[in-house]
Each structure stands twice: as structure tokens, then as C-alpha cells.
Amino acid sequence: MSSQRQLSGLDRLLLQADRALRTLSPGSPCHERPSPAKSADEADLSDAERRHAAGLMRVNHSGEVCAQALYQGQALTAKLPQVRAEMEHAADEEIDHLAWCEQRLQELDSRPSLLNPMWYGLSFGIGATAGKISDKVSLGFVAATEEQVCKHLESHLRKLPAQDDKSRAVVEQMLVDEAKHQHAALDAGGARFPGPVKGLMTLVSKAMTSVSYRL
């Protein structure tokens, strides 16, 4: 009887490749929880409001693609089995967000970012590198990243069209979940990153969100 701990390095690489394909293929993510948007009514949005809401949800979707890649890269190189399991569990929870954002983009007659494969590759590399350094750094990177994500989600709640209850419901639940992941990573022993490092992460994050909003 096999377990994740008994898989070889090659087995894990193949699993990561399969995860990447499912993350990047439209319609592939399957959520366990129903979308928070399900109980909200569709708003009567102008064309400009619809495009703006879609741009923000496209950014959120790209952020979830990055989260999948980050967690998978970290899980691949994590040194302690419990840390690897923690990363994989977090990635599973993020699949809900990925599916919800994709569904909302479809409802807004839009699509995910064309640059998602690039975002995935870069994030996977960063996650794998952080895991190689140490589990403490890897968990700290998760906490710092989730802190950045929470700030973006809070700003999106302010920027979304006031009547777009569906998009707002998705973003509000994502904010709750991401804050939980941030605190869980710190509680598990993650390093608290200094201000300059977080500042650099903010600059990189702004570049990604600006491009994903349009492409």
C-alpha cells in the first residue's frame, strides 16, 4: 500500500506536471465547496463595469494559478513530511478559489490571463527554491505571499462595481481563506520576512496584477 511519502522523486515530478496541466486547462479545476456567488443575484452591469469586474477577477484567477504553483514547488522540495503535507493541503483548498474565479470570468463573458503559463512557471520555481533553502523560509514565504494577496483582495472589494454582488461574494470568501493560510504558515514555524523583502514582493505583485488585468 503506497503513500505520498513513499513516492519517488520522479513520481512526484510527474504528479506536479499533471497538477500543472489541470491548473492551466480551462474547466479542469473541480471545487469541493460551492461558489459563494451561487446565492447572489447577477447585477445589471454596463459594458465598462463588466470589463472592469472581469479584469479584477482575472487578476484573482492568476493569483490562484500562482498559489497552486508556489505550493506545489514548495511541496516538491520540502524537507519535512508534515510541511509537504501542509503545502499540499493548502493547494487543495486553493483549487476552490481557482474554480470560483474561472466560473465568474465565464459569467462576465471573459477569460483567464493569457500569461498564466508564465506565472505558473515563475511561481513554481520560486516555491521550489524557497523549499530548498529551508522549511522555515518556505512557510515564511507562504505567509508573506498570503499577506500580499489579502491586501489585493481588500483593494478589489473597494474597486468592484458596487452592485456586483457575485464577484464580491467570491472575493470576500477568498479573503477569509487566504488570511487563514497566512496565520497557519506562521503558526507552523514560518519566518517573518523583513520589510524590504515584503516591499520587493509588493513591486513584483503589482507588475503581475497590472499585466493580468489586461491580458
Side-chain angles (χ1 to χ4, degrees), residues 36-171:
K38 186 176 181 180
S39 58
D41 294 329
E42 186 66 75
D44 184 15
L45 301 174
S46 68
D47 289 344
E49 289 173 331
R50 185 174 294 276
R51 286 194 300 271
H52 179 56
L56 294 176
M57 295 309 294
R58 183 159 45 251
V59 169
N60 295 334
H61 183 271
S62 290
E64 295 307 320
V65 168
C66 291
Q68 284 294 311
L70 179 67
Y71 284 128
Q72 292 304 318
Q74 290 170 311
L76 184 67
T77 57
K79 295 171 175 58
L80 296 176
Q82 60 266 36
V83 173
R84 180 179 298 119
E86 177 72 24
M87 296 298 181
E88 290 171 344
H89 176 67
D92 287 341
E93 288 192 341
E94 298 279 4
I95 289 177
D96 285 348
H97 300 173
L98 192 68
W100 297 345
C101 288
E102 182 178 318
Q103 180 180 336
R104 186 59 189 144
L105 281 169
Q106 291 173 349
E107 292 169 350
L108 291 167
D109 298 321
S110 192
R111 50 153 182 78
S113 172
L114 299 174
L115 299 179
N116 278 344
M118 183 177 73
W119 302 141
Y120 190 99
L122 290 173
S123 298
F124 186 91
I126 291 171
T129 301
K132 273 286 188 182
I133 295 172
S134 74
D135 288 336
K136 185 180 180 72
V137 169
S138 185
L139 288 166
F141 195 84
V142 168
T145 299
E146 296 291 19
E147 181 181 342
Q148 297 289 328
V149 171
C150 286
K151 290 179 180 178
H152 278 297
L153 294 175
E154 288 170 349
S155 73
H156 287 184
L157 286 175
R158 296 190 296 269
K159 295 175 182 177
L160 279 167
Q163 69 273 36
D164 188 1
D165 292 335
K166 278 186 170 290
S167 297
R168 192 173 302 280
V170 171
V171 174

Side-chain angles (χ1 to χ4, degrees), residues 6-27:
Q6 294 172 322
L7 294 175
S8 68
L10 178 60
D11 289 332
R12 286 199 291 270
L13 279 173
L14 291 174
L15 286 173
Q16 302 298 342
D18 176 70
R19 189 77 173 243
L21 288 173
R22 286 188 284 118
T23 297
L24 296 170
S25 299

